[in-house]
Amino acid sequence: VILTGSMDGTAKLVHMNGNILGSLENASESVETVGLCDVLPLAATGSVDGSLSIWDVNTQRLRTTLKHDDSVNRLKWHQDSPLLTSVSMDCTVRTWDSRTGECVRVWKGHQEGIMDLALSIDGKTVVTASDDGCCLVFAQ
């Protein structure tokens, strides 16, 4: 299964053969980042409207909506874990538990919006890249 995001605020679940399996619709603005969990049948979408939506892939139903104060630019699921980390134009890095919707960690340090992130394999280190021209390393 492939997950795509679109400027129309939707995300599509697509079979490898190209058939659209379903549409995930919860954002009021462009979906900028998407990801599939590798341990649970969950998907996540992040939007310019600041929403981070968690979806049940099997039912294609919204489980919960999490919020940043500005555009969600990138999300990454932790390997072998229900945790995901997102970065935003609100200058924060947030780690979430997708099962409960709880924000389990917030990091700050950038002066401008964060555009991208990389996670270590164990999920304990996050490296971010920002419009402030800096890369920061955050560790648990």
Side-chain angles (χ1 to χ4, degrees):
V1 173
I2 300 166
L3 183 60
T4 66
S6 176
M7 289 181 59
D8 68 3
T10 67
K12 303 283 193 245
L13 285 167
V14 182
H15 189 278
M16 295 292 282
N17 66 14
N19 290 337
I20 296 175
L21 303 173
S23 183
L24 309 178
E25 301 177 20
N26 188 45
S28 62
E29 296 185 52
S30 176
V31 172
E32 295 293 305
T33 182
V34 298
L36 294 165
C37 181
D38 66 356
V39 295
L40 295 171
L42 299 176
T45 59
S47 174
V48 171
D49 67 11
S51 65
L52 179 63
S53 300
I54 308 296
W55 302 88
D56 183 311
V57 173
N58 293 332
T59 64
Q60 299 175 22
R61 289 192 179 157
L62 181 65
R63 287 178 56 116
T64 191
T65 302
L66 315 169
K67 287 296 283 183
H68 272 275
D69 293 332
D70 205 336
S71 175
V72 179
N73 292 332
R74 189 77 63 226
L75 67 84
K76 296 215 187 264
W77 287 94
H78 293 226
Q79 185 174 332
D80 301 323
S81 171
L83 299 178
L84 70 151
T85 296
S86 57
V87 296
S88 172
M89 291 304 289
D90 68 8
C91 304
T92 66
V93 181
R94 297 177 187 267
T95 296
W96 311 87
D97 186 329
S98 65
R99 298 166 298 185
T100 63
E102 177 186 6
C103 181
V104 296
R105 186 75 192 251
V106 178
W107 290 280
K108 296 179 181 178
H110 283 290
Q111 302 304 309
E112 293 191 34
I114 305 170
M115 303 308 294
D116 204 358
L117 77 130
L119 279 175
S120 61
I121 291 173
D122 65 6
K124 293 183 179 179
T125 305
V126 181
V127 179
T128 58
S130 168
D131 275 344
D132 61 15
C134 294
C135 290
L136 296 179
V137 179
F138 299 95
Q140 294 193 40

